[in-house]
Amino acid sequence: GDVYKRQGEVCVAGVCQAEVCGAVAPPTDVTDASEVETAEPESRIIFTLNGVANTFDISAFAQFVAGQRLVQVRASKAQKVLELQFKPATMTIAGAFKSDVANPTRVVVCYDDGGADPGFIGDCAGFTHRSTVYDVLVTTNDGEGGRFEASFSATLEDKNTDTIALTAGQVNVKYR
């Protein structure tokens, strides 16, 4: 095998490449970094419930329900579901929300433990628990097609007013 060098090329060990200002250009099979897609983070909500760590990563999303002025953030695992509701809200609502600080936007944290007796009507209809106290910080809200990220904690009660502590909550989901 003879190697035939074209004008503007440098050949080393039988491999010819374009010569640029005396330097050898990178091989043409190297992918340009601008063409590499970075993997989108997995959509999920993680939290600790009564001391037990949970990761809910099935059907995890945020969405804006315009007719209700509601931002809904939801994820599930098996039969269990966790949902945060911000109302009234705009699609790109962000900032701090606490149950003990006056704010026109109310947050409700709803949790369904998969039990047979949901027992709530209204905001948490179909859920077994709803928040009585909450502390939520929305740090990223890109709106439709973007990401929704937040940290949160809450005290949840069931229909018998028995409470459970939800702590160390972290939301990182795709916004529908």
Side-chain angles (χ1 to χ4, degrees), residues 39-131:
E40 188 170 290
E42 180 181 358
S43 285
R44 66 181 177 192
I45 300 176
I46 58 174
F47 58 97
T48 301
L49 193 61
N50 269 359
V52 178
N54 291 272
T55 299
F56 282 25
D57 55 6
I58 298 175
S59 298
F61 64 88
Q63 70 179 359
F64 180 62
V65 183
Q68 298 179 39
R69 295 181 54 207
L70 167 72
V71 170
Q72 178 186 44
V73 181
R74 184 180 179 114
S76 61
K77 181 176 187 174
Q79 302 301 315
K80 299 176 182 180
V81 181
L82 181 72
E83 181 173 293
L84 285 78
Q85 301 174 3
F86 299 80
K87 187 176 180 179
T90 61
M91 181 183 296
T92 54
I93 193 165
F97 305 91
K98 294 183 176 195
S99 52
D100 61 350
V101 176
N103 188 318
T105 298
R106 198 174 125 225
V107 178
V108 180
V109 180
C110 305
Y111 175 71
D112 186 353
D113 63 10
D117 189 14
F120 286 113
I121 57 171
D123 294 329
C124 289
F127 289 87
T128 56
H129 296 78
R130 69 177 166 206
S131 57

Side-chain angles (χ1 to χ4, degrees), residues 139-155:
T139 54
T140 301
N141 184 352
D142 300 325
E144 263 182 46
R147 303 296 298 178
F148 184 100
E149 298 175 15
S151 58
F152 68 101
S153 62
T155 300

